[in-house]
Amino acid sequence: MSLRRHLHKWYEFISRREIFTGYLFASPWILGFFAFTLIPIILSFYYSFCRYDVLRPPMFVGFQNYYYLLFKSEKFYTSVYNTLYFTVFRVPLVMIGSLLLALLVATPRRGVSLARTIYYMPSIITGVALSVIWLWMYNPKYGLINRALALLGLPLPLWLESPTWAKPAIILMGIWSIGGGRMIVMIAGLNSIPRHLYESARVDGAGWWSQFWHITIPQLSPTLFLLTVVEVIFSFQVFTEAYIMTRGGPLDSTLFYNLELYFKAFLDYRMGEASALAWLLFVGTCIITLLMFWILGRRVYYEAERR
Amino acid sequence: MWEYIRVLSGRIFLGIGILGVIGLFVFVRPKEDTPPGRIVLQLWQVTGAEDIEPVVPKWFNESQDKIYVKPVGLPFLEIEQKFLTSSVGNFPPDLFEYFGPVAQWSTRGALLPLDDFIERDGYDRSAIFSALWKEMMWDGRTYAIPTGVGTEAFYWNKDHFRKAGLDPDRPPATWDELEEYAVKLTTYNEDGSIKQAGYIPGYWGPFPTPLFLTWAIQKGAKFLSEDGTRVNLTAPANIEALEWEAKLFKKLGGKKLIFKRATFGYGAQHGFLSGQLSMIVQKSSFVQEIEKFAPHLDYGVAPLPIPRDGKPATMAGPVWIGIPSGARHPEEAWEYIKFCTRADIQLRSAKYVAEKHLATFFPANIKAATSPFQMSLPHMDVFVESMKFAHTFTVVPLAHTQFWRAYSEAWDSVMRGEKTAREALKQAELTVQKALDEQLAYNKFYKEYLRKKEKRAKAKGKT
């Protein structure tokens, strides 16, 4: 076969497979994924067995980083405890809050889109700006919250300056993120529940509670489950609020996992330990997600499934 | 027909647009402000809150025609990471001017030792405040040259002193007096909360970050053994100083004091600037902050009070300039360093900054700092005087950040009464010691690595 025919065959092979064109178009992203995501992930796994401060070459130390974190470091367990505490309280707060809001604005009636917009709005402000706003709200003397408490004659907590109140203060900030994207997904879920289910339930004499408990919740369970899993994963990564407002203080009461990781990596430049922390977080997240699939996933009702 | 013209004209416009954009790239090049035939050096420095024009490079560029220094201003929050990345990528700037701990970079081989230059050119070390050199050194070598400095002093509100029946021109000279005055100056609201705090131990600014080693140093504390291998935080001097502070904290209100502190904020809401705090230890540039946010405040500046059995001390933070390890033109960079640390240039830049009312520049050069002009600036005499007994911040060079974090946490837990001074310091000592041990091992590994690399390079050179 001549070269020309070879080329021709090759050309035909390629042009027949649209997938190649697809990859070609996706190549900027694929290259980026390899260069900026996959390779760093693999390297961080290697670094987690090293002592490494970026400027000097990594020094292999075996399992020392993991051993230290798991068996010798108080800070590690403090940060794990704080993060779990945060997750356990924040996820229900945000999920139940968002569900209530979604129920409120799900049914189409006059002015409902305005209400939806208003409830969505707070979630536009996030991160640093949000933290600075709440920093002012938590000011023990001039802050909005303590002013209100003072009017009611209640005791005034120190909020961010108190080891007991700092964590609840950061959890309460979750009120701000009720609504937002979560609410939108829930509204979509609510509106896709077939009307006839409610109708027949009403005919059978079901009140609003049994309608909610026996129709809405099961029908919405795939949505709720997905949102909960995502919310838990995001809660494990809490960082900005504590970084801006408390820097992990008072007495490590808001030292969350990612904050500790950040301090190790970018304050102390102990990339080895920080990488080990990151991998432990990854493993922990995987385990908890699997547990959630195992425990909660069974209770999720899917329409198409045979029961 | 019309349809055809519409489409065509659309295409023509598109074509003109594309050509125009290409033309912009081809013909309108960014203005090159570097003169040809000169070696261009990049100088990285922190951009201030006020936009101070970096004049020293300008003067340097005017003074000769071989080297051109191009200043690049970077925000404080980014400069460390940018410098780190550029160093790792082996394409660092030619000059690096910064005020963080030198040890962060010198111990990790990111800066070039300047001793050869210093010796060759007979650079006069004694022209610069001697207290600052310790910060520049690591392992017997010099890695940077101080250009400016900030130091600490004791500030007090004279109005508050008058109201409390104290002599407004006599600040507390001893710890006992500070304690006595602080109690007298504290006033309370009807509900028992603090209205005006006399003194809040460790309060500096919006973030409760105690940077005070001064009290312990006054008592004679050393934080590291001579050979640099053992951390020592539990010496009597350390414990006594912290115990005294904790006692004072409790005496002045404890929890109430924390509440008061938490109500303070940024800028004009600063405790001292808002007139709700009578005495504070602050940096030398705090004078400008008072001028900016509370111009009518009647205040005085003095050296810190000292304990009965102690000696005067203060902390000084130098601004320094160094040459990164991978820099392409160290020789030319050194020329600039020599230029910018000269007495006349430092004085000129101090004058320039003062004239523009931007801030005060506190030169590291003694001759410039003690010049009649500089001494005529408000309270400068106190700061210059205090340089005689100044100490720099980096006390454990190999584990600086860990030291600060552990020490601050120990401090906080003692102030809150969670732990005794001894317990807290013991725990901090263990943490820092562990970090130091690891760093020492890493350092050894690094030295070995460098030795091997050199050997390999030599072997390669032979063949």
Side-chain angles (χ1 to χ4, degrees):
Chain A
M1 256 193 302
S2 70
L3 179 70
R4 222 185 122 149
R5 282 196 51 197
H6 258 297
L7 278 175
H8 188 76
K9 266 194 109 175
W10 192 66
Y11 174 78
E12 274 197 333
F13 173 78
I14 290 166
S15 52
R16 234 180 294 135
R17 274 169 178 69
E18 283 176 350
I19 194 159
F20 182 81
T21 325
Y23 278 128
L24 198 67
F25 275 109
S27 62
W29 180 84
I30 291 172
L31 284 177
F33 173 74
F34 276 100
F36 299 117
T37 309
L38 193 65
I39 292 171
I41 286 174
I42 294 165
L43 276 179
S44 90
F45 186 66
Y46 169 63
Y47 290 148
S48 72
F49 297 100
C50 295
R51 206 161 283 160
Y52 179 49
D53 70 359
V54 188
L55 281 170
R56 291 179 281 182
M59 166 186 171
F60 192 79
V61 293
F63 281 94
Q64 261 186 41
N65 290 332
Y66 289 99
Y67 175 78
Y68 169 71
L69 287 173
L70 290 172
F71 300 109
K72 296 272 173 207
S73 167
E74 262 176 56
K75 282 250 187 298
F76 174 76
Y77 286 104
T78 312
S79 67
V80 168
Y81 169 76
N82 286 341
T83 311
L84 287 177
Y85 184 103
F86 175 82
T87 308
V88 163
F89 285 97
R90 187 194 143 102
V91 173
L93 173 79
V94 169
M95 288 303 294
I96 294 171
S98 301
L99 180 60
L100 290 179
L101 270 189
L103 286 169
L104 207 62
V105 294
T107 24
R109 55 178 99 105
R110 187 188 269 269
V112 82
S113 38
L114 182 71
R116 281 179 194 172
T117 315
I118 288 170
Y119 291 142
Y120 184 79
M121 248 171 5
S123 68
I124 295 168
I125 301 167
T126 50
V128 178
L130 179 66
S131 303
V132 174
I133 292 170
W134 279 81
L135 203 57
W136 273 108
M137 308 230 307
Y138 280 134
N139 185 308
K141 194 172 176 196
Y142 309 110
L144 200 63
I145 295 169
N146 269 15
R147 279 271 166 112
L149 290 178
L151 280 180
L152 296 170
L154 292 166
L156 309 180
L158 274 169
W159 295 116
L160 301 171
E161 272 285 324
S162 139
T164 9
W165 282 103
K167 241 188 319 261
I170 290 184
I171 292 165
L172 276 179
M173 281 176 70
I175 291 175
W176 196 277
S177 44
I178 285 174
R182 247 171 266 103
M183 182 186 76
I184 301 292
V185 176
M186 282 179 190
I187 291 171
L190 284 170
N191 285 338
S192 66
I193 301 173
R195 298 287 111 193
H196 65 82
L197 290 177
Y198 289 108
E199 278 157 23
S200 49
R202 240 173 281 143
V203 169
D204 288 347
W208 67 268
W209 175 252
S210 17
Q211 284 183 34
F212 173 72
W213 192 246
H214 294 291
I215 300 172
T216 312
I217 292 292
Q219 289 285 323
L220 201 60
S221 59
T223 314
L224 291 177
F225 176 63
L226 174 82
L227 287 175
T228 310
V229 170
V230 172
E231 194 60 41
V232 166
I233 293 172
F234 272 110
S235 290
F236 284 159
Q237 294 168 12
V238 53
F239 172 75
T240 320
E241 293 91 336
Y243 178 69
I244 301 285
M245 293 164 61
T246 59
R247 288 231 145 205
L251 305 179
D252 283 346
S253 58
T254 56
L255 183 77
F256 296 119
Y257 198 94
N258 267 10
L259 198 61
E260 173 69 3
L261 196 156
Y262 174 85
F263 285 150
K264 282 259 177 334
F266 297 105
L267 194 73
D268 298 348
Y269 292 113
R270 293 159 74 92
M271 293 297 172
E273 236 169 81
S275 300
L277 273 171
W279 278 92
L280 286 174
L281 178 64
F282 175 69
V283 172
T285 312
C286 282
I287 291 172
I288 288 188
T289 310
L290 284 176
L291 275 177
M292 278 167 61
F293 266 92
W294 189 53
I295 297 167
L296 290 174
R298 284 196 264 177
R299 310 183 75 90
V300 173
Y301 173 76
Y302 291 106
E303 182 83 6
E305 239 171 73
R306 266 212 209 143
R307 303 216 111 202
Chain B
M1 180 65 195
W2 280 114
E3 185 66 8
Y4 179 73
I5 288 174
R6 212 170 58 87
V7 171
L8 192 70
S9 62
R11 288 202 180 154
I12 287 167
F13 274 122
L14 188 71
I16 289 171
I18 290 171
L19 277 179
V21 171
I22 293 171
L24 272 178
F25 277 108
V26 174
F27 297 108
V28 190
R29 288 206 186 123
K31 218 177 86 198
E32 280 288 334
D33 51 357
T34 53
R38 280 193 180 193
I39 291 171
V40 179
L41 302 183
Q42 271 210 16
L43 162 66
W44 284 12
Q45 46 187 198
V46 178
T47 31
E50 283 100 1
D51 220 6
I52 303 175
E53 192 200 349
V55 278
V56 182
K58 209 171 93 189
W59 298 334
F60 178 71
N61 295 338
E62 284 162 10
S63 75
Q64 40 73 46
D65 59 357
K66 295 206 167 52
I67 309 160
Y68 188 90
V69 173
K70 210 173 169 182
V72 178
L74 294 163
F76 169 62
L77 289 172
E78 285 169 27
I79 193 163
E80 274 198 23
Q81 303 226 356
K82 289 225 155 108
F83 182 60
L84 181 79
T85 340
S86 70
S87 294
V88 175
N90 201 21
F91 205 78
D94 301 283
L95 286 156
F96 186 50
E97 190 168 10
Y98 190 46
F99 44 74
V102 184
Q104 285 261 5
W105 311 104
S106 59
T107 58
R108 292 150 73 195
L111 292 173
L112 205 67
L114 303 173
D115 301 82
D116 291 347
F117 289 128
I118 291 174
E119 232 166 83
R120 191 194 65 194
D121 293 358
Y123 186 85
D124 185 12
R125 280 174 197 260
S126 65
I128 289 168
F129 287 114
S130 58
L132 305 178
W133 283 110
K134 198 184 160 203
E135 175 85 22
M136 307 296 129
M137 312 287 288
W138 162 247
D139 216 6
R141 291 194 198 190
T142 318
Y143 285 89
I145 308 284
T147 56
V149 63
T151 177
E152 274 175 4
F154 189 80
Y155 290 70
W156 78 98
N157 187 320
K158 289 189 177 173
D159 281 337
H160 289 186
F161 268 54
R162 278 186 209 107
K163 263 180 220 154
L166 294 164
D167 182 357
D169 294 316
R170 212 185 142 269
T174 62
W175 285 13
D176 294 337
E177 273 181 0
L178 173 64
E179 212 169 314
E180 187 196 322
Y181 287 20
V183 173
K184 273 188 193 162
L185 285 160
T186 307
T187 60
Y188 297 89
N189 290 319
E190 276 165 27
D191 61 353
S193 63
I194 295 172
K195 190 177 176 198
Q196 171 193 308
Y199 175 69
I200 303 180
Y203 174 68
W204 175 270
F207 283 109
T209 37
L211 294 167
F212 293 139
L213 300 176
T214 326
W215 304 129
I217 291 175
Q218 286 180 338
K219 281 239 166 207
K222 299 253 186 314
F223 300 92
L224 193 64
S225 66
E226 281 300 318
D227 60 348
T229 54
R230 305 246 28 113
V231 182
N232 184 2
L233 292 182
T234 46
N238 282 303
I239 293 174
E240 278 165 28
L242 195 57
E243 272 173 353
W244 170 71
E245 254 191 298
K247 196 187 84 194
L248 189 58
F249 200 86
K250 207 175 158 196
K251 195 173 175 181
L252 295 174
K255 237 190 172 147
K256 283 183 199 167
L257 214 53
I258 297 177
F259 189 94
K260 188 71 193 164
R261 188 179 67 188
T263 63
F264 298 155
Y266 296 89
Q269 268 98 34
H270 185 281
F272 190 77
L273 300 175
S274 61
Q276 298 182 62
L277 176 65
S278 312
M279 302 184 283
I280 190 173
V281 177
Q282 257 284 2
K283 58 188 188 273
S284 46
S285 58
F286 194 55
V287 173
Q288 279 76 53
E289 268 168 57
I290 296 177
E291 216 166 89
K292 189 173 165 193
F293 293 111
H296 303 299
L297 197 76
D298 190 11
Y299 70 100
V301 181
L304 270 62
I306 49 172
R308 230 173 290 147
D309 53 343
K311 48 184 192 303
T314 186
M315 304 304 282
V319 183
W320 47 268
I321 188 163
I323 307 174
S325 292
R328 305 290 188 271
H329 307 288
E331 199 64 52
E332 286 76 11
W334 171 246
E335 284 304 315
Y336 177 76
I337 294 182
K338 274 199 296 187
F339 180 84
C340 75
T341 52
R342 251 162 55 185
D344 56 331
I345 295 301
Q346 292 233 309
L347 184 59
R348 199 174 154 192
S349 98
K351 275 183 182 163
Y352 173 84
V353 173
E355 264 167 34
K356 295 266 167 181
H357 262 285
L358 296 163
T360 27
F361 173 60
F362 187 172
N365 187 296
I366 300 174
K367 216 172 141 194
T370 53
S371 65
F373 167 77
Q374 193 70 9
M375 291 300 254
S376 70
L377 295 172
H379 310 294
M380 203 36 109
D381 48 338
V382 179
F383 301 127
V384 170
E385 182 63 25
S386 71
M387 286 307 294
K388 283 184 187 146
F389 41 80
H391 296 255
T392 44
F393 282 101
T394 318
V395 288
V396 185
L398 274 176
H400 176 76
T401 51
Q402 286 96 343
F403 174 81
W404 273 124
R405 209 174 150 203
Y407 194 85
S408 314
E409 280 168 9
W411 187 93
D412 202 24
S413 62
V414 174
M415 290 306 132
R416 287 173 189 272
E418 297 278 326
K419 281 180 194 153
T420 66
R422 183 177 294 276
E423 275 168 19
L425 286 172
K426 183 79 213 162
Q427 203 188 343
E429 190 180 83
L430 286 173
T431 311
V432 183
Q433 185 64 52
K434 191 204 154 258
L436 180 63
D437 287 342
E438 282 180 14
Q439 283 301 311
L440 284 167
Y442 194 11
N443 218 35
K444 218 168 154 188
F445 161 83
Y446 181 55
K447 273 188 182 160
E448 187 67 15
Y449 167 85
L450 285 182
R451 214 173 50 82
K452 271 185 197 158
K453 201 174 154 190
E454 211 172 307
K455 226 173 168 182
R456 238 179 294 142
K458 259 185 200 161
K460 226 180 187 180
K462 266 179 197 165
T463 55

